[in-house]
Amino acid sequence: MAAVVALIFALVMFPVSSPVSALSSNYYSKTCPKLETAVTNAVKKAMKNDKTVPAALLRMHFHDCFIRGCDASVLLESKGKNTAEKDGPPNISLHAFYVIDNAKKAVEAMCPGVVSCADILVLSARDAVALSGGPTWDVPKGRKDGRISKATDTRQLPAPTFNISQLQQSFSQRGLSMADLVALSGGHSLGFSHCSSFQNRIHNFNATLDIDPSISPSFATSLRNVCPAHNKVKNAGATLDSSTTVFDNAYYKLLLQGKSLFSSDQSLLTTPRTKALVSKFARSKSAFEKAFVQSMIRMSSITGGGQEIRLDCRRVN
């Protein structure tokens, strides 16, 4: 989930069905019993070489599920005249697709043609959290891979500039609640954001103020030093919380101190219900982890039009 690149909100949504009941945590127990070990090993190996892998996998999973459901459409390559989701503006900075490729290769060697790329992506996101010090959980499995991937659909992703009503609409259209919104925002415990996703808060905030008054002044100064008004440094940006490679509840503590990056983060403090949950999660890591697991299972159970078990995660069969 981590840094979502700002994009204009599109009101037109493709219908996404509610969480599917056909998923089962023991779906592959007979057909591919060593599936989860293979996926975990692929994630572990990648993490040894690149500490940004967990944040990348979590964000990739979120971006997949919010468009056409969790059908691995985000993994498909652009082909011919069709520009795929991964090449849409909010997804340009997605990376670590090779981790899914490596996991799929290992799984295919054991159980050819059995396990979907969609399930491998969901398992990888769970492992990304668990291997970063966060909770683990049983992942319901049995998804199918989709055959449609369009860059234009990425307009549907919630942007970092969204206010609370825009976020509520985006989540409710996918069968997710305000409680899910607050819990899943905790995915910002991992990762990094480029300046473009939060520059609206530190330069020309509105007609009368240059800086968003809800940001801590010292934090705003540090962000402006990294991201000047006419920033020319391509990879300039900031980490999403103070412990960017550890999955914890620091995100919520910083949010209450005015030290969050995105307008969408700050918006969680603008309604009594969501602010109460932020405060609860800031106080209790265990309460946050319990809620996060429940919301991740709900989000990962959104099904779309998956039809097949892809042999290559980057291409339809």
Side-chain angles (χ1 to χ4, degrees):
M1 186 166 168
V4 187
V5 178
L7 197 71
I8 297 170
F9 179 60
L11 292 174
V12 180
M13 296 283 177
F14 286 88
V16 178
S17 57
S18 300
V20 67
S21 57
L23 300 181
S24 163
S25 58
N26 59 3
Y27 189 86
Y28 297 110
S29 59
K30 291 193 172 83
T31 55
C32 198
K34 295 182 180 177
L35 160 65
E36 300 203 21
T37 301
V39 174
T40 302
N41 287 342
V43 176
K44 274 184 181 174
K45 185 177 180 181
M47 285 175 65
K48 284 182 182 177
N49 300 317
D50 183 355
K51 64 183 180 180
T52 71
V53 160
L57 293 173
L58 188 56
R59 183 169 175 237
M60 192 189 299
H61 172 46
F62 177 82
H63 283 214
D64 183 43
C65 292
F66 261 59
I67 298 175
R68 299 181 181 276
C70 311
D71 66 346
S73 54
V74 75
L75 304 179
L76 291 172
E77 299 279 359
S78 297
K79 184 180 180 182
K81 293 183 179 179
N82 181 63
T83 307
E85 285 172 36
K86 64 163 59 172
D87 293 319
N91 287 342
I92 292 296
S93 57
L94 288 181
H95 67 286
F97 291 102
Y98 71 91
V99 182
I100 307 301
D101 293 335
N102 291 345
K104 176 67 169 173
K105 186 177 180 180
V107 171
E108 284 296 307
M110 296 188 304
C111 328
V114 171
V115 182
S116 67
C117 298
D119 279 339
I120 289 173
L121 178 50
V122 176
L123 288 167
S124 298
R126 186 273 311 271
D127 289 343
V129 172
L131 294 170
S132 299
T136 190
W137 61 93
D138 285 334
V139 172
K141 296 169 286 290
R143 296 163 191 80
K144 295 289 191 291
D145 296 323
R147 295 179 55 85
I148 299 170
S149 183
K150 296 182 180 297
T152 51
D153 290 351
T154 60
R155 293 173 186 160
Q156 300 171 34
L157 290 167
T161 53
F162 272 15
N163 61 35
I164 197 67
S165 61
Q166 290 171 311
L167 288 169
Q168 180 175 15
Q169 181 177 19
S170 180
F171 275 65
S172 66
Q173 285 171 325
R174 291 158 177 84
L176 299 172
S177 68
M178 293 291 269
D180 292 322
L181 164 63
V182 180
L184 292 171
S185 293
H188 288 165
S189 172
L190 300 173
F192 171 91
S193 169
H194 292 102
C195 297
S196 57
S197 293
F198 57 86
Q199 64 184 5
N200 64 302
R201 301 186 73 202
I202 58 173
H203 300 291
N204 303 313
F205 177 65
N206 62 26
T208 55
L209 295 170
D210 197 28
I211 300 173
D212 182 344
S214 63
I215 295 187
S216 151
S218 60
F219 186 58
T221 299
S222 68
L223 292 179
R224 282 165 66 99
N225 286 338
V226 175
C227 303
H230 301 290
N231 173 56
K232 296 287 193 297
V233 182
K234 184 180 178 183
N235 292 318
T239 56
L240 295 174
D241 82 357
S242 54
S243 54
T244 185
T245 59
V246 178
F247 191 89
D248 56 22
N249 63 337
Y251 162 81
Y252 298 102
K253 296 175 183 178
L254 293 167
L255 181 50
L256 292 172
Q257 296 166 22
K259 295 178 180 177
S260 62
L261 284 187
F262 305 142
S263 299
S264 56
D265 293 325
Q266 184 63 33
S267 75
L268 300 182
L269 301 181
T270 59
T271 76
R273 186 177 171 212
T274 52
K275 186 175 183 179
L277 282 171
V278 169
S279 298
K280 178 182 178 181
F281 297 158
R283 286 193 309 269
S284 171
K285 186 181 179 214
S286 61
F288 160 54
E289 289 186 345
K290 182 180 178 183
F292 182 80
V293 166
Q294 291 172 341
S295 294
M296 280 290 282
I297 291 172
R298 269 194 287 275
M299 182 184 75
S300 70
S301 300
I302 301 171
T303 181
Q307 301 170 352
E308 64 185 21
I309 305 295
R310 255 178 247 155
L311 300 180
D312 177 343
C313 290
R314 294 173 183 256
R315 295 168 185 81
V316 297
N317 291 346

